[in-house]
Amino acid sequence: MMRNLMDKVATLVGPSRGSKEDAKQRLKVVLIHDQLALTPGAMDQMKAEMLEVVRRYVVVDEPVAFELRKEDGQVSIVSQLPVRPMHARA
Amino acid sequence: MATCIVVTSGKGGVGKTTTSANLSTALALTGKKVVVIDADIGLRNLDVVLGLENRIVYDLVQVVEGTCRLKQALIRDKRVEGLWLLPAAQTRDKSAVSPDDMKALVEELKEDHDYVIIDCPAGIEQGFKNSIAGADRALIVTTPEVSAIRDADRVVGLVESAGLPAPHLIINRYRPSMVQRGDMLDRDDILEILHIPLIGIIPESEEVVVSSNRGQPLALDDASPTGAAYRRIVRRIEGEDLPIPSFELDSGFWAVFKRWMGLAPAREVA
Ligand SMILES: Nc1ncnc2c1ncn2[C@@H]1O[C@H](COP(=O)(O)OP(=O)(O)O)[C@@H](O)[C@H]1O
Ligand SMILES: [Mg+2]
């Protein structure tokens, strides 16, 4: 009861993040994977292979972004790779 | 020109049968001639929800196999003019009926009814394929939960690839108090994900359980807010541009305070 009340006071004081935000995020991801018939595992593998190719030419720094996005029904892979040249130029 | 509407969801237990029973009843109350088909062969349920279980003689499979005539299998609801049930078989399985059988059956029923409503079984296999075969449009029922919405999304795709127009959505078991504290997806969240037009929201309600205990659809009860929600969906099905009430909470200070303390349920403002 006391705990409950404290939680409630907390919701009055600060903006709290209800579980629905988790639901929404998880749903979005799962639906995109469903639509592409691409499992998260296959997605990880694709990311690793793509990085391997890019790394033949440039150095890739962290953090690497690689994610699925859906806008107006179109799913895209959006990736951002911070890169540097392989060999420092003279 | 009669219309056949399939009520479907993918996931089981989200409220297809309850919705089919109430929408059929509410349509008949507006003066339409309605047949509601229980397409859940092997797991017959619509008969008990409608309170017509004691009057079954023949079933859908017997009609398809020619054991009886279609008219003989239709059970007339005595409480409301213009409502008939075509029950499912209880001891057979889905493979006893084909999509072509369903198409022919629906065509025949459309000749002397205004609406044919099909209560689809859960899943996306044979029973689903049978159910959408003769349908002109689909209503998708979901609850505000991840698994139900995921399945709904899948079914929207299947319905559209079967050549039906974009289905309409019914959100069932909506709990305004949970939505208000951020623990349930609200209608905008769900619509953002599913991208199909909303045709109604049915709140979570103890009345639903009581009505299924009695075999007395809520749509028949003038005093029931849930019954009223079903009756409003029917007006929208009929083409009326009726706003969908938000299930706002009573906003008086004490109501808000009591709800905040968890002492009072949310109330629908129609
Ligand atoms: N709005 C609601 N409020 C409370 N209980 C509900 C509601 N809608 C459905 N139920 C209950 O949920 C259960 C499953 O409903 P049902 O219509 O049989 O689902 P389905 O046909 O999709 O399997 C039933 O016990 C029913 O009484
Ligand atoms: Mg059912």
Side-chain angles (χ1 to χ4, degrees), chain B residues 96-162:
Chain B
V97 174
S98 73
D100 283 341
D101 293 332
M102 284 298 279
K103 239 187 237 170
L105 184 71
V106 167
E107 283 314 312
E108 193 177 341
L109 286 169
K110 277 164 105 177
E111 281 166 22
D112 33 36
H113 298 87
D114 300 306
Y115 283 96
V116 178
I117 307 293
I118 300 180
D119 179 17
C120 182
I124 52 172
E125 307 300 329
Q126 171 109 34
F128 170 76
K129 287 175 187 150
N130 286 343
S131 297
I132 63 169
D136 302 302
R137 56 189 283 196
L139 296 179
I140 310 267
V141 181
T142 192
T143 58
E145 285 178 81
V146 175
S147 53
I149 295 169
R150 181 195 200 174
D151 288 2
D153 181 74
R154 180 103 169 82
V155 165
V156 169
L158 291 173
V159 160
E160 284 175 350
S161 60

Side-chain angles (χ1 to χ4, degrees), chain B residues 9 11-19 40 45 49 119-120 122 172-174 202-206 208-209 212 226 230:
Chain B
S9 69
K11 189 171 155 67
V14 298
K16 292 176 294 297
T17 299
T18 308
T19 303
D40 204 344
N45 261 334
V49 174
D119 179 17
C120 182
N172 189 28
R173 310 194 78 154
Y174 196 79
I202 305 295
E204 168 79 26
S205 161
E206 291 183 4
V208 173
V209 180
S212 75
T226 311
Y230 287 117

Side-chain angles (χ1 to χ4, degrees), chain B residues 211-222:
Chain B
S211 88
S212 75
N213 287 342
R214 298 201 170 122
Q216 186 83 358
L218 284 172
L220 288 172
D221 182 351
D222 286 336

